[in-house]
Amino acid sequence: MILEVAPLRVRAGQAEEFQAAFLEAQHIISAMPGCLSHEPGRCLEHPNEYILLVRWASLQAHEAGFRQSPRYQEWKWLLHHFYQPFPAVSHYASVPGAAGG
């Protein structure tokens, strides 16, 4: 499993519109093969900052399966115009033996 971490900074004054667009866009990502779950969060201290955590079955599922799919174009159209600056996405793998809960 791979964890995608995307810190999202939304343009000032557009948080509510972004959240509405995300509610629509989340159906795209959740239907993608290899998408195990997604979890958006909004920062309490900085209300224009969000984080998106997506669990993928593999890096390939995200990079090729999603980002190179026609559905990604829909995702971009719905969400990318809200970001300033454009987010730098990172991918993480679990540390063996360090699971918590």
Side-chain angles (χ1 to χ4, degrees), residues 74-85:
E74 295 175 62
W75 174 270
K76 281 176 56 173
W77 184 82
L78 286 166
L79 298 175
H80 285 197
H81 63 279
F82 288 108
Y83 306 140
Q84 183 61 39

Side-chain angles (χ1 to χ4, degrees), residues 3-36:
L3 177 64
E4 171 195 357
V5 177
L8 309 173
R9 182 167 290 164
V10 173
R11 294 176 190 277
Q14 295 187 347
E16 299 307 316
E17 293 90 348
F18 167 73
Q19 287 182 195
F22 187 86
L23 289 177
E24 184 177 345
Q26 72 179 345
H27 300 291
I28 296 169
I29 199 167
S30 64
M32 294 305 300
C35 180
L36 306 175

Side-chain angles (χ1 to χ4, degrees), residues 2-96:
I2 298 297
L3 177 64
E4 171 195 357
V5 177
L8 309 173
R9 182 167 290 164
V10 173
R11 294 176 190 277
Q14 295 187 347
E16 299 307 316
E17 293 90 348
F18 167 73
Q19 287 182 195
F22 187 86
L23 289 177
E24 184 177 345
Q26 72 179 345
H27 300 291
I28 296 169
I29 199 167
S30 64
M32 294 305 300
C35 180
L36 306 175
S37 67
H38 70 279
E39 180 182 347
R42 187 175 189 183
C43 183
L44 297 175
E45 295 83 9
H46 307 281
N48 285 342
E49 293 181 16
Y50 294 79
I51 191 160
L52 176 60
L53 306 175
V54 185
R55 287 165 186 83
W56 294 97
S58 67
L59 183 61
Q60 180 77 6
H62 179 230
E63 291 294 309
F66 178 51
R67 283 195 170 171
Q68 295 178 21
S69 74
R71 301 295 317 264
Y72 182 68
Q73 298 308 311
E74 295 175 62
W75 174 270
K76 281 176 56 173
W77 184 82
L78 286 166
L79 298 175
H80 285 197
H81 63 279
F82 288 108
Y83 306 140
Q84 183 61 39
F86 192 77
V89 174
S90 299
H91 299 91
Y92 296 84
S94 297
V95 175

